[in-house]
Amino acid sequence: MEITTSNFNEIVNGGKPVVIDFWATWCGPCRRVAPIMEELAADYEGKVVVGKVDVEEQDELAAQFGIRNIPTVLFVKDGQVVDKVVGAMPKSAYEEKINAML
């Protein structure tokens, strides 16, 4: 799911935990994380919303969260950031953070 400034509030306040992947097309590590995010979206469908923010197109959101390095993945529960991972990680690391929100 593509997250933008126009749908951000609706998504993070939608009642489900949200995983937000901040990325860019030119970012090599982001390309390694992308298939993991797709798997997580399928694995946690109905329980967690997994979305992506292109930092070049959505620079306001990137600035709002102080994103300086990508990929950065934020874990949001009840509208608040509860955890964050900077850099590419194995799927198990993301699963651990998601399970802590459930």
Side-chain angles (χ1 to χ4, degrees):
M1 170 182 291
E2 195 67 33
I3 297 177
T4 65
T5 52
S6 60
N7 68 4
F8 178 81
N9 286 331
E10 178 185 333
I11 292 170
V12 299
N13 295 310
K16 291 181 184 161
V18 183
V19 178
I20 307 172
D21 175 20
F22 287 84
W23 69 288
T25 54
W26 48 262
C27 167
C30 298
R31 286 193 295 271
R32 288 197 301 277
V33 169
I36 294 171
M37 289 297 135
E38 289 175 18
E39 288 177 27
L40 292 170
D43 293 349
Y44 290 91
E45 187 173 358
K47 297 178 189 171
V48 175
V49 175
V50 178
K52 300 173 74 66
V53 174
D54 184 329
V55 297
E56 295 201 320
E57 293 179 12
Q58 303 297 324
D59 55 339
E60 288 178 37
L61 280 178
Q64 179 181 338
F65 290 99
I67 304 300
R68 297 195 190 328
N69 299 303
I70 53 174
T72 293
V73 178
L74 299 182
F75 299 85
V76 180
K77 184 173 184 178
D78 299 325
Q80 301 293 318
V81 176
V82 296
D83 213 337
K84 172 171 135 175
V85 172
V86 179
M89 305 289 277
K91 183 179 178 183
S92 60
Y94 299 111
E95 288 173 325
E96 187 177 309
K97 305 281 187 189
I98 292 170
N99 290 332
M101 290 194 301
L102 297 176

